[in-house]
Amino acid sequence: FGMLILKQVLNTSKSVWVRARDGLNNQAQRVSAQIIVIILVFVIGVGYFNLGRYATASGWNVHTYEVLEDTTGILSALVNIETGHRGFLVAGKDEFLEPLNNGKTAFAESHAEAKKLTSDNPAQQARLDKLMDAYQAWMKDSVETSIKARRQVGNNLSQYGEVIAVV
């Protein structure tokens, strides 16, 4: 009978121990799962934050390239104006003014677009205003004046020195 009681006590304590151990395992598993969920939420949050920063940086890169494209358009327009100007001064024929006229249109379009794109940047706006002032002065004082002088000379090349004096 003593052995039976001892066996019963051992079986009972064994089942209590197993239940306690299983409870600890379930609790440990719950804590582990919670830690894993917290880590995953943190990693996803950091990834989302970085994705937002990447999108913002990418947007600024695109904006920069758009501004560069317009400033390249301005430069190209100025080159065309100069090309047409020189061609007309040498030949005196109106067809040589086509690049000049196209350049004037392209300059106005590219300058307006660059002004629009840089509206949030006062320093860039000031530079573009200064460029416009220089452009208008160049057109008035050099290009238009020399074209007018060349038209007055016509084909009389003996008076071509007057055109050179204006240029």
Side-chain angles (χ1 to χ4, degrees):
F1 177 75
M3 281 298 265
L4 187 59
I5 292 177
L6 184 59
K7 195 174 187 184
Q8 186 67 29
V9 169
L10 286 176
N11 282 339
T12 303
S13 64
K14 183 178 179 183
S15 65
V16 168
W17 172 251
V18 169
R19 278 190 302 225
R21 186 193 66 203
D22 289 346
L24 286 175
N25 281 342
N26 287 338
Q27 185 179 7
Q29 287 173 346
R30 275 186 262 142
V31 169
S32 296
Q34 289 171 347
I35 290 172
I36 290 172
V37 168
I38 290 170
I39 290 171
L40 283 175
V41 167
F42 177 76
V43 168
I44 290 170
V46 168
Y48 182 76
F49 175 74
N50 285 336
L51 184 62
R53 287 179 39 198
Y54 173 76
T56 300
S58 180
W60 279 111
N61 282 343
V62 169
H63 174 76
T64 299
Y65 284 118
E66 289 171 344
V67 172
L68 288 172
E69 181 179 347
D70 287 320
T71 56
T72 301
I74 289 171
L75 178 62
S76 177
L78 291 172
V79 168
N80 286 337
I81 291 169
E82 185 180 27
T83 300
H85 177 233
R86 284 183 300 164
F88 181 77
L89 291 180
V90 170
K93 296 181 180 179
D94 283 342
E95 57 263 20
F96 285 96
L97 291 176
E98 186 177 337
L100 183 141
N101 294 327
N102 292 340
K104 288 164 84 173
T105 303
F107 178 88
E109 290 171 357
S110 294
H111 186 270
E113 186 64 23
K115 286 281 282 182
K116 186 176 87 174
L117 287 172
T118 60
S119 63
D120 61 339
N121 189 330
Q124 294 289 11
Q125 291 287 298
R127 287 183 190 110
L128 287 169
D129 290 341
K130 188 175 179 181
L131 173 65
M132 180 57 85
D133 292 342
Y135 167 77
Q136 289 172 340
W138 176 59
M139 289 300 292
K140 180 181 173 221
D141 298 337
S142 179
V143 176
E144 292 171 5
T145 305
S146 60
I147 287 174
K148 183 179 176 185
R150 180 63 172 105
R151 285 190 193 282
Q152 288 174 349
V153 168
N155 288 330
N156 186 357
L157 295 180
S158 64
Q159 296 177 342
Y160 198 69
E162 294 174 24
V163 174
I164 294 172
V166 171
V167 175

